[in-house]
Amino acid sequence: MIRLELSGEHTRLHSSLCSQCPQGPAGCCVSPPELDWTDIGRIVSLGGRGWLLEQIAAGNLLPVSRGLELRRVRRREDRAAPRRSKCVYHGPRGCTVPAERRAATCNYFLCEDAFAERADGQADPASGAGRRAHALLREVYGRWDRELTGAVAGRPEGPSWDAAFLDWLGAEFERLSSAGELAALAAPG
Ligand code: SF4
Ligand code: SF4
């Protein structure tokens, strides 16, 4: 079953399949997405600048040319299981960081199995709306990130990975999101 948690640019999609993921206990967290410029700006705009600086200093978030890579760790899901590589933030009961500290993709991505899953073979009424929300979020976030990639490249000092740079990304994210392109995903009421 698909469940949509509408909240504009912070919209989340949930699937009941994820708790029994066919890919294994860590699900798609074996391949964490990068925090791209837009994700970093979103996290800053939600009060996460200090957390980002801490995580960069701790080596859990690694500066790369497109933003920040999430460190991968090799762990067993249980004693009998082989060690597998997965996101540093994946714990025994799933993601250990709140939605406002994750890449937007972590919040809205669902695989095709999740969209198709319904034990009784009937169409899930939320599946169509989920796919539309997923497609819109991918398109808008992708475009915002291309714009921010150009803006970062245009800074003479480049990405300095200090508080001032993160604040600038936060302000850029707020500028992009204020145009209301994701108003169709606004929370009801
Ligand atoms: S989205 Fe798909 S691959 Fe990812 S955890 Fe859910 S069921 Fe597994
Ligand atoms: S941040 Fe959380 S949801 Fe995203 S890949 Fe890592 S553990 Fe998974």
Side-chain angles (χ1 to χ4, degrees), residues 126-139:
S127 182
R131 284 183 191 275
R132 287 192 292 278
H134 185 272
L136 179 62
L137 286 157
R138 277 191 70 164
E139 189 272 314

Side-chain angles (χ1 to χ4, degrees), residues 7-31:
S7 184
E9 57 272 26
H10 312 302
T11 290
R12 301 176 65 189
L13 271 75
H14 306 268
S15 163
S16 52
L17 186 65
C18 295
S19 60
Q20 298 166 331
C21 177
Q23 308 301 324
C28 36
C29 301
V30 296
S31 302

Side-chain angles (χ1 to χ4, degrees), residues 28-29 31-33 70 87-91 94-97 101-103 106:
C28 36
C29 301
S31 302
L70 279 70
C87 175
V88 66
Y89 298 123
H90 188 270
C95 186
T96 59
V97 293
R101 300 286 182 269
R102 297 179 198 154
C106 291

Side-chain angles (χ1 to χ4, degrees), residues 48 113 133 186:
D113 284 346

Side-chain angles (χ1 to χ4, degrees), residues 8 10 16 24 49-50 59 62 70 77 81-82 88-89 93 100 103 115-116 121 123 129-130 139 160 163 167-168 172:
H10 312 302
S16 52
R49 184 187 75 178
L62 310 163
L70 279 70
E77 301 305 331
V88 66
Y89 298 123
R93 288 195 292 278
E100 59 267 25
F115 278 119
E139 189 272 314
S160 47
D167 283 344
W168 174 78
E172 285 293 295

Side-chain angles (χ1 to χ4, degrees), residues 113-127:
D113 284 346
F115 278 119
E117 183 246 3
R118 171 113 179 196
D120 60 7
Q122 301 296 307
D124 182 343
S127 182

